[in-house]
Amino acid sequence: MDIFLSIILHSIIPIFILISLGYIIDMKFKLDLNTLTKINFYLFVPAFSFVNIYTTDISIDLVRVIALTVVLLGIHFIFGAGIAKFLKLPKKTGKAFENSVMFNNSGNIGISLMTLVFTNPPFVVNGTSPYLQAALSVQVMVLLVQNLTTNTLGFINSGGEGMTLKTGILRVIKMPALYAIICAILFKFLPFDFKVTPVWSALTYLKDGMISAALLTLGVQLSKTHINFKLKLPYIAAFCRLIGGPAAAFVLIKLFGFTGVTAQAVFIASATPTAVNTALLSVECRGDADFAVQAVTISTLFSAVTMTAAVYLAYVLF
């Protein structure tokens, strides 16, 4: 019980405090969501990705994490499509349902959760956080796969007109985080320490600010959402994402043979709620935006409970 309470106090509650602050400040000042999103997308996420990749040894385990994440995504796609067909959902709603199951919030919440979890009990050792870097590296790999697929498959699958593979690829090419990761990998092989440059300090400052900026932005996004708690379909989607995700991840973790901090990080990463981008895609591509927004909101609210359980189970099981 002490471990469970510690997880709630140190890892979960801080996340929702920041989300709540974003919600409250937007209710009072009506912030520009487009500006906040661009700051996160073009500055914080690329800097975070670059610093973490550059300072981490790229092991075969991280490549296997990418493979597991792709397989997990495929399972969610089949599962979501099957439920949509079983429920005989309209095409646009069915596609939005599939996206809500496939794509999780590996950026705003995932990275924040991973940072808080592995810098607080029970994952600290003698006052230090020896597993943090490894856990964040796993999360960056998950974030990379999620971003690439959200902006290709998710974009095409969002139900709008004119959505093609070519259009999705063009969107991916414009992703700054992709270039940040590629540059970080290339710089690792150069006979020069990039950390001695002034640019490194600037990137570090941006990286350190990502958690608060991402969660505040999520709060602003949620404050602009109108939710109807009487609809059943968003709850089904939330169940598939929050319960089905970790269950499928557990099976794959065993099949891939992951242990220790890698297994813990993969399991925790699978428990995050539906990605906010699924709602933004539905709006942009003229899909079922009403359902998409409801699914994001419901899954985010319930994730306060399920993420706590997932962190506890990760500690106990692995």
Side-chain angles (χ1 to χ4, degrees), residues 100-119:
S100 71
V101 176
M102 283 192 293
F103 304 119
N104 59 7
N105 200 328
S106 53
N108 300 64
I109 288 184
I111 288 175
S112 307
L113 177 64
M114 208 67 69
T115 301
L116 289 169
V117 165
F118 286 93
T119 55

Side-chain angles (χ1 to χ4, degrees), residues 93-277:
T93 304
K95 296 298 183 181
F97 184 90
E98 292 170 13
N99 281 356
S100 71
V101 176
M102 283 192 293
F103 304 119
N104 59 7
N105 200 328
S106 53
N108 300 64
I109 288 184
I111 288 175
S112 307
L113 177 64
M114 208 67 69
T115 301
L116 289 169
V117 165
F118 286 93
T119 55
N120 284 289
F123 295 94
V124 295
V125 178
N126 297 324
T128 64
S129 306
Y131 310 118
L132 175 61
Q133 194 62 50
L136 285 177
S137 297
V138 169
Q139 186 61 39
V140 168
M141 295 301 104
V142 173
L143 177 61
L144 173 62
V145 173
Q146 284 280 320
N147 276 347
L148 289 175
T149 51
T150 300
N151 286 280
T152 50
L153 177 60
F155 187 66
I156 297 168
N157 200 44
S158 57
E161 299 176 358
M163 299 302 106
T164 65
L165 180 59
K166 179 180 178 181
T167 307
I169 292 175
L170 289 175
R171 285 176 64 93
V172 171
I173 292 175
K174 296 178 181 179
M175 288 175 55
L178 175 62
Y179 296 101
I181 292 172
I182 293 173
C183 288
I185 294 173
L186 291 176
F187 288 166
K188 286 173 71 70
F189 294 99
L190 294 178
F192 174 75
D193 187 2
F194 191 77
K195 290 184 287 185
V196 302
T197 67
V199 176
W200 179 260
S201 296
L203 291 174
T204 302
Y205 292 145
L206 284 172
K207 176 193 76 80
D208 292 341
M210 179 184 164
I211 293 176
S212 56
L215 292 177
L216 289 170
T217 300
L218 178 58
V220 173
Q221 289 173 321
L222 292 179
S223 77
K224 300 181 184 299
T225 299
H226 300 287
I227 184 72
N228 182 354
F229 289 99
K230 296 181 179 180
L231 299 177
K232 295 181 180 179
L233 191 59
Y235 291 97
I236 297 175
F239 180 86
C240 294
R241 170 90 293 283
L242 299 175
I243 305 299
F250 176 79
V251 174
L252 290 179
I253 288 169
K254 293 298 183 180
L255 291 176
F256 275 73
F258 286 126
T259 58
V261 64
T262 302
Q264 291 172 332
V266 169
F267 187 77
I268 293 170
S270 71
T272 53
T274 298
V276 176
N277 283 346

